Amino acid sequence: MVEQAAKSKELIVKPTVAKAGLEKFLSKLKNVSMLNADPKVVAGKKFQTIFESNDADLVICKTFDQMKAAKAAGKTFGYYKKVLSNADVDEIERASQAEGASFVVVDASDWKIIPLENIIAKLHKSKTKVYTTASSSKEVKTMFSVLELGVDGVILSTDSEDEVEKASQQLSTVRFPIKVARITEVKDVGTGERVCVDTASMMGMGEGMLIGSRSNFMLLVHNESVGSSFTSPRPFRVNAGAVYCYTITPDGNTRYLSELESGTEVWIVNKDGQSRRATVGRSKIETRPLRLLRAEIEGETGTVILQNAETIRLMKPDGKLLSVTEVKPGDEVMGYAKPASGRHFGMEVDEYIVEK
């Protein structure tokens, strides 16, 4: 099974539905633990609240006097500020450093990115969390990536459960159970089309993409950050494999490599199974000589067809890289496997299936 890693960021929902539909709306929310709502209105529900009320779990203050009163009352408090100038940024910094705010809510509706970058840069080493506001899941995605670190939380104003679900996906990462795969066969299979995936992210040593002929069996194909005597390092690239091969995408589905295009999101996975999202900038399909590798992981067997070239590398258990041109039966590389299940248009389904 793919294990969900701990979430380090928060999605806070501000319901905008009519009061009559509130209970139904709240009952459909998944993976949400906090609401930006009056605690009296949502009393008895499973949610914590962040609101301009001393009854809330997290008290939003709009003045320094309110913060002092909340602090004296033993409340967990923060500071709300609409950012219009650098003076507002300085005020937020003061709320954190001088007043000890546990969080700040930054309303940067006019200028979103630059003020948040400045605030994150000032507060990222403090104990103060930076929250901001959004009105769509697309905005949530942007806020979580500002200055690479992203904000600590986003308050999403919405009346749509679908928007909440889409936004929730931006918080999740997965940890893949990376295991040792023993190579059992190496075979040249002539020419065919392979896919080179260029991402909008830089990758380091130990990172790559999971690629395989089966959705439940993949090998970790390393990025091209090393280079060679004849090629410069390209740390944004994974020379992934033949067009038919699978990779797993952040929506939980598999995609054929031939389907990847500019704007598609993929998982970048390291040797420990930790993953992060990356956006495909370009996908290149070209005819190249190919090599089939068959491997076994704890009783599961699978294959992958890769370009037969020195710059395509797998990772060994000790972290060293192994070129596809040098792979031989008996070698051990890193991969991912789980019991077989069916796929319907990339979605996992429980059905009997045999893939060879």
Side-chain angles (χ1 to χ4, degrees), residues 122-142:
K122 288 177 180 289
L123 300 187
H124 78 279
K125 292 184 179 180
S126 74
K127 295 181 179 180
T128 304
K129 292 183 177 181
V130 178
Y131 297 154
T132 192
T133 58
S135 57
S136 70
S137 57
K138 290 183 178 180
E139 284 190 8
V140 171
K141 180 179 179 180
T142 301

Side-chain angles (χ1 to χ4, degrees), residues 175-308:
R175 182 183 290 276
F176 292 89
I178 300 298
K179 301 176 182 178
V180 174
R182 185 175 60 88
I183 301 296
T184 59
E185 181 184 6
V186 179
K187 180 180 179 182
D188 291 340
V189 290
T191 60
E193 281 64 58
R194 67 93 174 101
V195 182
C196 219
V197 181
D198 291 348
T199 71
S201 299
M202 301 291 275
M203 288 172 267
M205 281 296 297
E207 291 187 309
M209 290 173 61
L210 290 172
I211 308 295
S213 301
R214 293 168 50 189
S215 60
N216 68 315
F217 191 105
M218 302 182 181
L219 299 184
L220 182 58
V221 180
H222 201 267
N223 73 83
E224 294 193 4
S225 58
V226 177
S228 70
S229 301
F230 301 98
T231 60
S232 300
R234 295 181 176 89
F236 53 82
R237 172 173 294 174
V238 177
N239 193 326
V243 286
Y244 77 92
C245 286
Y246 284 126
T247 191
I248 302 175
T249 50
D251 59 7
N253 297 329
T254 55
R255 298 285 292 271
Y256 295 116
L257 293 181
S258 61
E259 296 178 323
L260 302 183
E261 60 184 5
S262 183
T264 304
E265 279 195 325
V266 295
W267 283 129
I268 299 301
V269 182
N270 70 11
K271 61 183 179 61
D272 299 316
Q274 296 173 327
S275 65
R276 60 186 177 93
R277 296 165 184 261
T279 300
V280 175
R282 172 179 53 237
S283 177
K284 296 198 304 177
I285 300 176
E286 298 166 311
T287 302
R288 293 291 187 269
L290 303 176
R291 173 166 283 190
L292 179 146
L293 307 181
R294 190 181 305 275
E296 182 269 334
I297 300 176
E298 296 182 350
E300 290 286 340
T301 301
T303 64
V304 63
I305 293 180
L306 306 172
Q307 180 181 342
N308 188 5

Side-chain angles (χ1 to χ4, degrees), residues 1 21 82 174 177 193 206 293 296 355:
M1 293 292 291
K82 184 175 178 65
V174 298
E193 281 64 58
L293 307 181
E296 182 269 334
E355 292 180 287

